[in-house]
Amino acid sequence: MIKPILHVFLISHYCEKARWALDRCGIDYELNLLSPINHVKTARAIGAAGSGLPILQVGDETIQGSAQIVAWANQHSRSLELLINDKSIALEERFDDLLGVHIRRWYYSESLIDCPEIVRPVFAEGSGLLGRLTLKLVWPKVVGVMIKRMDLGSEQELESKAIVETELEWLDTLVSDGRTFLVGDALSNADIAAASLIAPMFEPDKHPASSVFSLPTRVEQTVGKWKDRPFARYLTHLYQHYR
């Protein structure tokens, strides 16, 4: 099989989800770290339908979106196959549509508006000297575009935080009995989605962005109160033993 290329943002929790699935399935791939100033050009060059990441490039074929890449990884697994069924797919979709979307908007509504400089090092990672310098020069413009396109602001921050808190309370009920996995007795796409989409808030050691990622003040203060909750123990265990 042609060696796939996975195009990602280092900071993206959806990209981490795709990486985890490919790694878990023993698929050898090339990683291409992109920044907000070159990802659109790359997506167009490889024939993707849009510019959203992650994108998996397999020869002339492009698989776009974390759920689609997880499903592709499961189909082409070379080692430990993921458990994917109707229940795990429904859970993955809920995590993608609610936790994933609103953790992102909550985080960026504070970081890009109040302290955008904590975000730039993550986007610059792996870009090389020229890429880092270019990103520094255009960073104010990038921030402005991201704020507009992602619908960020103080009201949006509070709205997304409330949705995240509701979803985490629900996840607590699923794992409060101490179970290791959400579905059955093996790692599934539901577990990978839940753990990877929440992980940036907890900065686990095995997360690809852990060395350069940091939380803005209000988010950090809130997350600090969650360390002993059932979902946090569940997430930590998955990263320690299955990532």
Side-chain angles (χ1 to χ4, degrees), residues 100-111:
V101 168
H102 289 284
I103 282 176
R104 180 175 60 193
R105 190 169 72 150
W106 175 33
Y107 167 78
Y108 282 124
S109 283
E110 181 180 355
S111 61

Side-chain angles (χ1 to χ4, degrees), residues 17 35 39 76 93 99 111 134 145 159 165 175 198 214:
K17 179 184 157 195
S35 70
H39 81 285
H76 297 83
E93 289 176 349
L99 268 179
S111 61
T134 302
V145 169
E159 178 186 46
E165 289 177 329
V175 299
I198 302 168
S214 58

Side-chain angles (χ1 to χ4, degrees), residues 68-159:
Q68 290 74 20
I69 294 171
V70 170
W72 184 93
N74 186 65
Q75 274 190 319
H76 297 83
S77 179
R78 293 173 179 241
S79 57
L80 299 169
E81 187 170 347
L82 295 173
L83 171 67
I84 296 183
N85 56 39
D86 289 345
K87 185 175 182 180
S88 68
I89 289 174
L91 287 170
E92 179 188 13
E93 289 176 349
R94 178 165 175 169
F95 295 139
D96 282 353
D97 294 343
L98 291 171
L99 268 179
V101 168
H102 289 284
I103 282 176
R104 180 175 60 193
R105 190 169 72 150
W106 175 33
Y107 167 78
Y108 282 124
S109 283
E110 181 180 355
S111 61
L112 284 181
I113 292 175
D114 292 358
C115 46
E117 288 307 306
I118 73 168
V119 180
R120 183 162 56 87
V122 195
F123 279 125
E125 186 73 9
S127 298
L129 179 59
L130 179 59
R132 290 195 299 273
L133 290 174
T134 302
L135 185 61
K136 184 176 181 180
L137 289 173
V138 301
W139 185 239
K141 182 177 180 179
V142 170
V143 170
V145 169
M146 290 180 69
I147 289 172
K148 183 177 180 179
R149 290 186 178 177
M150 297 173 71
D151 183 31
L152 307 180
S154 56
E155 291 184 9
Q156 293 91 328
E157 177 185 343
L158 294 175
E159 178 186 46

Side-chain angles (χ1 to χ4, degrees), residues 8-236:
V8 302
F9 291 135
L10 181 65
I11 195 173
S12 167
H13 48 357
Y14 289 106
C15 292
E16 161 64 354
K17 179 184 157 195
R19 292 175 71 171
W20 188 339
L22 291 169
D23 292 341
R24 180 70 180 173
C25 290
I27 294 170
D28 185 26
Y29 62 94
E30 179 183 338
L31 187 68
N32 184 26
L33 294 178
L34 296 172
S35 70
I37 61 171
N38 59 17
H39 81 285
V40 175
K41 181 179 179 180
T42 298
R44 287 174 180 166
I46 62 177
S51 61
L53 301 183
I55 300 172
L56 185 67
Q57 180 184 358
V58 187
D60 294 332
E61 181 185 9
T62 56
I63 301 97
Q64 191 164 20
S66 64
Q68 290 74 20
I69 294 171
V70 170
W72 184 93
N74 186 65
Q75 274 190 319
H76 297 83
S77 179
R78 293 173 179 241
S79 57
L80 299 169
E81 187 170 347
L82 295 173
L83 171 67
I84 296 183
N85 56 39
D86 289 345
K87 185 175 182 180
S88 68
I89 289 174
L91 287 170
E92 179 188 13
E93 289 176 349
R94 178 165 175 169
F95 295 139
D96 282 353
D97 294 343
L98 291 171
L99 268 179
V101 168
H102 289 284
I103 282 176
R104 180 175 60 193
R105 190 169 72 150
W106 175 33
Y107 167 78
Y108 282 124
S109 283
E110 181 180 355
S111 61
L112 284 181
I113 292 175
D114 292 358
C115 46
E117 288 307 306
I118 73 168
V119 180
R120 183 162 56 87
V122 195
F123 279 125
E125 186 73 9
S127 298
L129 179 59
L130 179 59
R132 290 195 299 273
L133 290 174
T134 302
L135 185 61
K136 184 176 181 180
L137 289 173
V138 301
W139 185 239
K141 182 177 180 179
V142 170
V143 170
V145 169
M146 290 180 69
I147 289 172
K148 183 177 180 179
R149 290 186 178 177
M150 297 173 71
D151 183 31
L152 307 180
S154 56
E155 291 184 9
Q156 293 91 328
E157 177 185 343
L158 294 175
E159 178 186 46
S160 287
K161 179 186 176 185
I163 292 171
V164 169
E165 289 177 329
T166 297
E167 290 304 297
L168 292 179
E169 288 172 4
W170 169 72
L171 181 56
D172 271 343
T173 67
L174 298 183
V175 299
S176 59
D177 58 2
R179 70 182 62 189
T180 301
F181 307 114
L182 289 171
V183 180
D185 58 0
L187 189 77
S188 75
N189 53 320
D191 296 304
I192 288 178
S196 59
L197 296 178
I198 302 168
M201 301 291 103
F202 287 86
E203 305 169 79
D205 291 340
K206 291 185 178 180
H207 193 284
S210 61
S211 64
V212 288
F213 184 80
S214 58
L215 296 173
T217 302
R218 291 189 297 278
V219 172
E220 186 174 37
Q221 289 173 345
T222 300
V223 171
K225 302 172 184 176
W226 293 347
K227 301 293 185 181
D228 295 322
R229 287 176 55 175
F231 83 82
R233 294 193 294 270
Y234 158 79
L235 178 156
T236 301

